[in-house]
Amino acid sequence: MMEEEELEFVEELEAVLQLTPDVQLAIEQVFPSQDPLDRADFNAVEYINTLFPTEQALEEAQKAIQQLFGKIKDIKDKAEKSEQMVKEITRDIKQLDHAKRHLTTSITTLNHLHMLAGGVDSLEAMTRRRQYGEVANLLQGVMNVLEHFHKYMGIPQIRQLSERVKAAQTELGQQILADFEEAFPSQGTKRPGGPSNVLRDACLVANILDPRIKQEIIKKFIKQHLSEYLVLFQENQDVAWLDKIDRRYAWIKRQLVDYEEKYGRMFPREWYMTERIAVEFCHVTRTELAKIMRTRAKEIEVKLLLFAIQRTTNFEGFLAKRFSGCTLTDGALKKLESPPQSTNPFLEDEPAPEMEELAIEKDLDQPKKPKAPDNPFHGIVSKCFEPHLYVYIESQDKNLGELIDRFVADFKAQGPPKPNTDEGGAVLPSCADLFVYYKKCMVQCSQLSTGEPMIALTTIFQKYLREYAWKILSGNLPKTTSSSGGLTISSLLKEKEGSEAAKFTLEELCLICSILSTAEYCLATTQQLEEKLKEKVDVSLTERINLTGEMDTFSTVISSSIQLLVQDLDAACDPALTAMSKMQWQNVEHVGDQSPYVTSVILHIKQNVPIIRDNLASTRKYFTQFCIKFANSFIPKFITHLFKCKPISMVGAEQLLLDTHSLKMVLLDLPSIGSQVVRKAPASYTKIVVKGMTRAEMILKVVMAPHEPLVVFVDNYIKLLTDCNTETFQKILDMKGLKRSEQSSMLELLRQRLPTPPSGPEGSGSLSLLAPTPEQESSRIRKLEKLIKKRL
């Protein structure tokens, strides 16, 4: 079975490998070969028999293979021997390399040891002879050589040399300090005439020694150099008080010049001795000034304090110009909370100005100036004045109080702005003066401190912003007859009937507009002031600066002013509306021109609105608010009086419709009425007028319609007044003069045909007359357009 399977497999394999003659010919053309193995009819058995025709030939081939293996083994053995020989040769070379390296190291070490031993002997000898110039060069070399022997410190001789070097350094340090003490005694007042070459070389040695030696030299020299200052400006001396603070700074300037002339070449340049003397002087001065100000705090007045601060900041500016501040390294001096340079447009140029005579620009929108480089010495002395800045804050509180009182007195003396002049509606001059003074205070205080004093000053600013709003703005708004106790919201909203309402004069209208413009200016400038204060104060305190309450106060003044203007015009129209409601509309026999009451309303509008518009030219958005508020007040009142016109005949309703249309056209034109430049009314205003007056027209349309058949009349009412309810429907029935018995059936029919029940209890009047949905409003506007086209 196995043989049969193998035969079948062979046959299958041969069938797979059997190529067609064409393919075979193509292969032979591409890859020509004379090797029998490549022939298509290759027979393995015949090929083997050709190579080994006899058994003897086969044995000879095996012997040849054995000889080949023998030669290969011989070559391998020789290669191993060669490798071993190479290893032995390289081992000897490595030993020679190690020996050479150790020999070189030994020679170098012995040479260094010789140098170290000789250098130590020379160092000790030179130290005794104070040959500091030679010592400076030799000591550095000895210390460099000694570094090579750190790993040999276990050897007694090496350790002994190291200890001798340390002893020489200690002796040098003590000797140099003694030399400086002798040259500049701490208790002495007489100084040598010039620099010493020995001390100059000693400073070069001190650079190499322990840094504490250098620090001690600097400390003692500066202390001795400033000893005279402590004596001259003792606390009990008259010259020590703030009014003579200039003499302190003049003294140190002379001392710096004296130092440069006498000792400038004695100390290395990298010690920055001149700057160190100046910095130490600042420390001493700050301490001494703080001490004397605590003792004589009651004698500090604001002018004296500002004088001292100004002279001190000027001196700090002098230091910044002359020195780099690289010696300000200890914690107390590294950062003295110098205020960030502000991009405040209030600040035009601040190159250390005279504190009493700051140049103040009134234009609050000046372009920003480039940022000046920080002064590393800012506050190094002037920091001591910060605890006493309450004197400055209290002074500003007093000054601002007097300023507000002067504003009140000036307003009373000068009276309100005159009409028909450029003053009408303009910002009150006192407003600009207030913010200019605020700017001056902010600049001064930010130069004194950017910490808590700035917060205290902000509180003062808030106090007098509110007082200005109350005393100058709200306090001078014209009072209405119904507000004897002052301006209140209820008094502004109270409707006055008939001719009892007092109308504002032209001067009073100009005054209201001027106060409104001033409040708007104050609102914008207060917001800007808040931003600039936050730029000036420390970052950690910015959250404590918030003038939102003061801005709200000015917003209230604006709203009150607008409401007064609206109330005045609204009240002027009241007599005309009252006359309209009292006319006998059932007796009107024919439709004529517009009624006298319409002419009266239009006359009041033409008298008031141009004055208000011209005086609010700089605050256009608030004139738009005035128009919107007037429309929202007048239109509902007009509809209310319209409902009082009862009963109305058909002709009377037509006359009222004509009057309503005339009023609508006037209201639509109200923003530009009487103006030579005709502007399109704001869309928000037009929307209110169209919505309200369309309702009035639709009410009259319903009144004009026959009330029979009832179903048609009710459906017409629902169609024309999409915000209809039973209360409005009953008022329309009253206008038509229908009896109560007739109204009941019509009201019942209305309740049945309303698509949805009225919201809220029936008869509660819960549906607003001017609050339709957007869909209803759009529908009413389309109907109004059709009605106007039909009328035209």
Side-chain angles (χ1 to χ4, degrees):
M1 290 294 294
M2 291 297 296
E3 292 179 355
E4 291 179 359
E5 291 178 357
E6 290 177 357
L7 290 174
E8 290 178 359
F9 175 74
V10 170
E11 291 175 355
E12 291 177 359
L13 183 60
E14 290 178 350
V16 172
L17 296 177
Q18 189 67 33
L19 303 176
T20 62
D22 295 339
V23 175
Q24 186 64 41
L25 179 60
I27 293 174
E28 291 176 356
Q29 291 176 352
V30 176
F31 303 104
S33 175
Q34 300 298 327
D35 193 334
L37 296 174
D38 293 334
R39 293 176 59 84
D41 56 350
F42 172 75
N43 189 308
V45 177
E46 291 181 0
Y47 182 73
I48 294 174
N49 288 336
T50 302
L51 293 177
F52 306 104
T54 63
E55 293 182 359
Q56 184 178 359
L58 185 56
E59 292 175 357
E60 290 175 356
Q62 291 178 349
K63 289 179 181 180
I65 292 172
Q66 292 176 356
Q67 291 175 359
L68 179 61
F69 273 106
K71 290 180 180 180
I72 292 173
K73 187 176 183 301
D74 185 50
I75 293 171
K76 180 179 179 183
D77 294 339
K78 290 180 180 179
E80 291 176 353
K81 291 179 181 179
S82 300
E83 182 180 2
Q84 185 64 29
M85 186 181 298
V86 170
K87 288 182 179 180
E88 292 175 358
I89 293 172
T90 55
R91 181 172 61 248
D92 295 339
I93 294 174
K94 287 181 180 180
Q95 290 177 352
L96 290 174
D97 287 342
H98 285 304
K100 179 181 178 181
R101 185 162 56 251
H102 291 321
L103 180 61
T104 303
T105 303
S106 299
I107 293 173
T108 303
T109 302
L110 289 174
N111 187 30
H112 286 164
L113 182 60
H114 175 72
M115 293 170 58
L116 180 61
V120 172
D121 291 338
S122 301
L123 182 63
E124 292 173 343
M126 293 176 181
T127 299
R128 288 190 295 271
R129 294 193 296 270
R130 284 180 166 76
Q131 295 175 325
Y132 294 132
E134 291 81 358
V135 168
N137 295 326
L138 179 60
L139 179 59
Q140 187 63 58
V142 169
M143 294 176 65
N144 292 339
V145 172
L146 188 61
E147 291 179 359
H148 295 283
F149 292 94
H150 283 172
K151 56 185 177 181
Y152 302 116
M153 288 300 170
I155 302 174
Q157 292 80 358
I158 303 297
R159 186 170 59 252
Q160 183 180 5
L161 286 173
S162 175
E163 291 174 354
R164 288 177 61 190
V165 172
K166 292 180 180 178
Q169 288 177 303
T170 302
E171 183 180 354
L172 276 171
Q174 294 174 351
Q175 188 170 295
I176 290 173
L177 289 176
D179 291 343
F180 270 93
E181 179 65 28
E182 182 180 352
F184 304 101
S186 300
Q187 303 301 325
T189 57
K190 186 177 181 180
R191 299 177 181 174
S196 168
N197 291 333
V198 174
L199 295 180
R200 182 183 60 195
D201 294 338
C203 291
L204 299 178
V205 177
N207 267 338
I208 306 172
L209 298 175
D210 189 323
R212 288 176 294 182
I213 302 299
K214 169 185 170 182
Q215 295 170 3
E216 187 68 20
I217 293 173
I218 294 173
K219 179 180 177 182
K220 286 188 175 182
F221 179 82
I222 294 177
K223 181 179 179 181
Q224 198 276 343
H225 214 68
L226 296 179
S227 59
E228 179 184 340
Y229 173 68
L230 294 174
V231 174
L232 293 176
F233 293 89
Q234 288 184 17
E235 186 177 352
N236 58 358
Q237 298 294 323
D238 181 63
V239 75
W241 188 227
L242 299 181
D243 58 343
K244 297 181 177 61
I245 199 170
D246 275 343
R247 299 189 183 183
R248 294 177 181 266
Y249 305 131
W251 183 91
I252 189 59
K253 290 177 182 179
R254 291 194 301 270
Q255 295 306 309
L256 294 179
V257 173
D258 179 69
Y259 166 81
E260 291 289 350
E261 293 177 353
K262 294 182 179 180
Y263 310 104
R265 299 181 59 186
M266 187 173 75
F267 294 100
R269 184 183 298 273
E270 64 271 16
W271 284 23
Y272 301 103
M273 286 299 295
T274 310
E275 181 176 325
R276 291 182 186 277
I277 293 172
V279 169
E280 183 60 24
F281 165 82
C282 292
H283 285 315
V284 173
T285 301
R286 186 175 71 247
T287 302
E288 293 298 316
L289 287 176
K291 186 194 305 181
I292 194 172
M293 284 192 291
R294 282 196 300 269
T295 304
R296 304 173 62 176
K298 295 182 179 180
E299 301 178 38
I300 300 177
E301 298 178 352
V302 64
K303 290 184 178 180
L304 178 62
L305 180 66
L306 291 180
F307 167 79
I309 293 174
Q310 180 262 319
R311 294 296 189 266
T312 301
T313 53
N314 283 354
F315 175 70
E316 292 171 349
F318 160 78
L319 295 179
K321 292 178 181 179
R322 184 166 182 184
F323 304 118
S324 64
C326 61
T327 63
L328 303 175
T329 54
D330 52 7
L333 293 176
K334 192 169 186 180
K335 183 169 183 174
L336 284 166
E337 298 299 332
S338 59
Q341 296 296 322
S342 175
T343 56
N344 192 335
F346 291 172
L347 312 178
E348 293 77 26
D349 294 297
E350 298 180 38
E354 292 293 324
M355 301 295 284
E356 310 91 331
E357 301 176 359
L358 289 172
I360 305 298
E361 281 289 342
K362 293 189 178 182
D363 184 3
L364 302 184
D365 298 319
Q366 289 293 318
K368 297 178 182 179
K369 298 296 180 181
K371 195 174 182 179
D374 291 339
N375 178 1
F377 296 94
H378 179 84
I380 192 171
V381 178
S382 57
K383 197 76 173 177
C384 66
F385 297 110
E386 185 164 321
H388 303 277
L389 288 181
Y390 68 88
V391 176
Y392 171 79
I393 301 300
E394 291 174 355
S395 171
Q396 296 309 322
D397 189 0
K398 179 181 177 182
N399 292 344
L400 282 168
E402 294 174 352
L403 188 65
I404 295 295
D405 292 340
R406 179 166 65 83
F407 290 162
V408 173
D410 290 347
F411 191 93
K412 291 180 179 179
Q414 297 172 4
K418 301 298 185 294
N420 301 321
T421 68
D422 293 337
E423 295 180 11
V427 174
L428 296 177
S430 59
C431 174
D433 293 343
L434 177 67
F435 282 100
V436 166
Y437 191 84
Y438 272 11
K439 173 190 171 181
K440 175 182 176 180
C441 296
M442 182 174 63
V443 172
Q444 288 179 336
C445 192
S446 65
Q447 290 179 336
L448 307 180
S449 171
T450 57
E452 288 295 334
M454 282 291 286
I455 301 299
L457 184 66
T458 301
T459 303
I460 299 298
F461 283 177
Q462 291 174 296
K463 173 183 176 182
Y464 290 102
L465 283 173
R466 291 191 298 268
E467 285 208 9
Y468 186 85
W470 295 333
K471 293 183 178 180
I472 308 300
L473 301 182
S474 292
N476 287 306
L477 283 174
K479 301 299 187 293
T480 61
T481 55
S482 61
S483 56
S484 58
L487 181 64
T488 62
I489 297 299
S490 61
S491 67
L492 294 178
L493 298 178
K494 184 177 179 180
E495 179 182 347
K496 300 172 186 171
E497 292 289 341
S499 58
E500 297 178 0
K503 187 176 183 297
F504 290 139
T505 64
L506 179 60
E507 291 80 4
E508 290 174 327
L509 288 178
C510 291
L511 173 60
I512 295 172
C513 292
S514 182
I515 290 176
L516 191 156
S517 300
T518 303
E520 193 271 339
Y521 175 86
C522 291
L523 174 61
T525 312
T526 300
Q527 183 178 3
Q528 187 183 26
L529 175 64
E530 180 186 77
E531 296 171 358
K532 304 313 171 185
L533 285 169
K534 288 184 177 181
E535 288 180 10
K536 285 294 184 183
V537 78
D538 292 341
V539 176
S540 59
L541 300 176
T542 54
E543 295 299 326
R544 294 174 59 183
I545 294 180
N546 187 345
L547 304 184
T548 303
E550 289 64 43
M551 288 186 273
D552 291 343
T553 300
F554 289 118
S555 296
T556 301
V557 174
I558 293 172
S559 299
S560 300
S561 302
I562 294 175
Q563 190 61 43
L564 274 177
L565 296 173
V566 171
Q567 178 191 10
D568 179 64
L569 181 56
D570 201 28
C573 298
D574 280 347
L577 296 180
T578 302
M580 176 190 77
S581 63
K582 292 181 178 180
M583 286 182 63
Q584 302 297 320
W585 293 101
Q586 74 275 20
N587 297 330
V588 177
E589 297 179 353
H590 62 274
V591 177
D593 294 332
Q594 63 186 25
S595 301
Y597 75 88
V598 176
T599 304
S600 176
V601 170
I602 295 175
L603 177 62
H604 288 304
I605 290 176
K606 288 183 177 181
Q607 286 177 344
N608 282 39
V609 173
I611 296 173
I612 296 172
R613 181 183 59 243
D614 294 343
N615 282 275
L616 294 182
S618 61
T619 54
R620 189 75 185 177
K621 64 179 180 179
Y622 293 116
F623 174 69
T624 301
Q625 288 188 21
F626 159 75
C627 296
I628 291 175
K629 286 180 179 288
F630 174 71
N632 277 327
S633 175
F634 175 80
I635 295 175
K637 186 181 293 186
F638 173 74
I639 293 177
T640 300
H641 282 77
L642 195 64
F643 283 132
K644 295 179 181 179
C645 298
K646 55 185 178 181
I648 303 176
S649 64
M650 179 66 70
V651 177
E654 290 179 356
Q655 180 64 51
L656 276 173
L657 185 60
L658 175 64
D659 295 341
T660 302
H661 182 74
S662 299
L663 285 175
K664 181 178 67 174
M665 293 298 102
V666 171
L667 290 176
L668 289 174
D669 189 45
L670 183 141
S672 60
I673 195 167
S675 174
Q676 296 179 353
V677 180
V678 179
R679 293 183 179 180
K680 185 177 180 181
S684 57
Y685 172 76
T686 302
K687 180 179 178 181
I688 292 172
V689 173
V690 170
K691 179 172 62 175
M693 296 306 289
T694 299
R695 175 178 174 78
E697 290 178 333
M698 294 303 104
I699 289 172
L700 292 171
K701 281 287 185 178
V702 176
V703 172
M704 292 169 58
H707 61 277
E708 291 182 350
L710 298 182
V711 174
V712 175
F713 178 76
V714 170
D715 289 344
N716 189 45
Y717 168 74
I718 296 174
K719 180 180 179 181
L720 293 178
L721 295 173
T722 53
D723 59 337
C724 56
N725 56 33
T726 55
E727 182 182 2
T728 303
F729 187 64
Q730 184 165 359
K731 290 179 179 179
I732 291 175
L733 296 180
D734 289 338
M735 293 172 70
K736 291 178 69 66
L738 296 178
K739 298 179 181 180
R740 291 293 177 178
S741 58
E742 296 178 286
Q743 292 182 14
S744 59
S745 58
M746 300 177 75
L747 287 170
E748 183 61 30
L749 181 60
L750 173 66
R751 295 188 186 97
Q752 296 174 2
R753 300 191 69 82
L754 282 176
T756 55
S759 60
E762 183 177 342
S764 64
S766 59
L767 290 179
S768 173
L769 296 180
L770 291 176
T773 64
E775 294 79 6
Q776 294 171 336
E777 178 187 336
S778 176
S779 174
R780 292 171 60 190
I781 293 175
R782 288 196 299 270
K783 292 176 181 178
L784 176 63
E785 291 174 349
K786 293 180 181 179
L787 183 63
I788 293 174
K789 291 179 181 178
K790 184 182 296 184
R791 183 184 181 92
L792 295 176

